[in-house]
Amino acid sequence: MSSTTLFLVPTPIGNLGDITLRALEVLRDVDVIACEDTRRTRKLLAAYNIHQSLISYERFSETKKVSRILELLAEGKNVALVSDAGTPLISDPGSILISQARNMGIRVESLPGPCAAIAALSASGFEGPFRFIGFFPRQKSVAQREITRMSLTSDHTVFYESPHRIMETLELLGLSLGDRTVCLAREISKIHEEYIVGSVREVIERLKDRKMIGEVTMIVHGSSQEEAIDETVIKQRADDLLRSGFSKKDILRVLTEETGMGRNRIYDILLKIG
Ligand code: SAM
């Protein structure tokens, strides 16, 4: 493997001070920084007196820009990939670049650092396994499937949402998960940082007369095993899995894992849907 390296460098999601010493060192030392918005990255670099060559790497031009960055790596140039904020590839572009760089034998190093999903999860106080689903799905049927999964799984679900859509999304969640505890994390590490924790209904009540602004990350607490799980929800999830090509045996395994219910009970419910 060559010693040429593609560094993945997280940047602050609000507070400029949240950049690591190592991130600054790498940003200073590499030959070029690939970034989404060059103006935004230049501002960050200026705050730390770093003068670097930048190459833009946005999602819509990802395929085109990848070849230029791969050429630089092939010439032995070290490259740092940053996104506008937070950790690259966490709902941000970069996957094509990383897989192709790896295919060329380029070393990939990931620096730990700011990430809204992880900061929100940590502040929620919800401990245990979680699923990160990126941005909440826009398409109604996909959103509904996601909510069904949330109602069954004991994993917490972390997602990103725009402030303009958050009320609509909470109301959709409220239809099936009104009593479920959620944590709405807003403006993490910024002046108006706040965490609203409560049932979906309580959070809707608290927000209903407010204009939501700023960046939002949501966490829906996983289903607790004592919670009575509606059989119709299990049937709906089984139907979804069947349509996605899962065998009956796999459906039994997935639902047992997701609900924490006994295999026999799930088996009985599945028998009813044939
Ligand atoms: N890669 C980034 C990361 O590691 O957090 C996420 C990029 S994604 C395009 C942007 C979304 O992250 C925002 O729409 C919002 O949902 C969430 N987000 C970013 N900064 C945030 C903050 N300071 N507070 C709460 N959520 C934030």
Side-chain angles (χ1 to χ4, degrees):
M1 185 177 281
S2 96
S3 63
T4 308
T5 306
L6 169 63
F7 293 94
L8 310 175
V9 183
T11 53
I13 56 168
N15 188 321
L16 265 191
D18 291 335
I19 190 150
T20 68
L21 295 175
R22 185 162 166 239
L24 291 176
E25 189 183 303
V26 167
L27 293 175
R28 238 178 232 124
D29 290 351
V30 287
D31 298 291
V32 60
I33 299 173
C35 59
E36 291 186 90
D37 179 346
T38 49
R39 274 179 311 179
R40 225 174 137 161
T41 301
R42 226 177 267 295
K43 237 188 204 168
L44 171 75
L45 297 179
Y48 290 97
N49 207 15
I50 297 174
H51 306 280
Q52 262 295 9
S53 336
L54 302 183
I55 177 166
S56 79
Y57 183 80
E58 305 131 307
R59 196 181 292 287
F60 70 88
S61 61
E62 200 171 356
T63 322
K64 212 170 85 198
K65 286 292 164 57
V66 131
S67 43
R68 178 65 197 129
I69 300 172
L70 293 176
E71 270 170 31
L72 292 166
L73 289 163
E75 288 164 16
K77 303 259 192 322
N78 291 319
V79 176
L81 174 69
V82 300
S83 57
D84 278 348
T87 300
L89 275 95
I90 307 299
S91 293
D92 275 331
S95 74
I96 302 175
L97 176 61
I98 291 176
S99 68
Q100 299 201 8
R102 274 220 177 91
N103 288 345
M104 282 169 53
I106 300 292
R107 228 177 107 75
V108 176
E109 263 189 50
S110 174
L111 276 63
C115 174
I118 298 301
L121 185 66
S122 163
S124 72
F126 304 167
E127 216 180 323
F130 67 93
R131 302 164 55 239
F132 171 66
I133 60 167
F135 279 94
F136 190 77
R138 292 275 188 273
Q139 208 186 322
K140 268 268 149 56
S141 60
V142 185
Q144 197 45 59
R145 202 174 309 151
E146 204 45 77
I147 291 175
T148 306
R149 202 173 294 167
M150 288 180 204
S151 66
L152 291 175
T153 180
S154 53
D155 296 346
H156 313 308
T157 305
V158 184
F159 62 85
Y160 293 148
E161 183 53 291
S162 90
H164 320 291
R165 291 176 43 101
I166 190 66
M167 271 315 267
E168 200 187 309
T169 297
L170 280 167
E171 280 173 8
L172 197 61
L173 284 170
L175 296 177
S176 338
L177 300 170
D179 294 330
R180 185 68 68 85
T181 305
V182 293
C183 170
L184 186 150
R186 198 175 74 82
E187 295 285 86
I188 301 168
S189 77
K190 303 185 195 177
I191 298 170
H192 299 292
E193 172 167 351
E194 81 174 322
Y195 300 97
I196 306 176
V197 181
S199 71
V200 175
R201 278 195 204 99
E202 286 162 356
V203 174
I204 292 175
E205 195 52 35
R206 281 182 61 179
L207 293 178
K208 71 175 194 295
D209 298 323
R210 271 176 61 174
K211 183 172 156 40
M212 274 303 270
I213 45 169
E215 296 193 279
V216 172
T217 298
M218 274 290 302
I219 302 146
V220 177
H221 197 287
S223 140
S224 67
Q225 289 179 19
E226 305 83 58
E227 201 173 317
I229 295 171
D230 187 345
E231 284 193 8
T232 54
V233 171
I234 295 182
K235 287 179 194 156
Q236 194 183 332
R237 175 83 175 120
D239 275 343
D240 284 343
L241 292 169
L242 202 59
R243 253 182 277 120
S244 317
F246 279 70
S247 69
K248 291 210 169 151
K249 195 169 145 221
D250 285 340
I251 295 177
L252 186 60
R253 182 184 48 76
V254 169
L255 288 175
T256 309
E257 275 169 21
E258 285 185 349
T259 60
M261 287 161 67
R263 257 178 90 86
N264 290 345
R265 167 111 194 268
I266 299 285
Y267 188 76
D268 287 343
I269 298 171
L270 293 183
L271 275 184
K272 290 187 205 156
I273 59 171

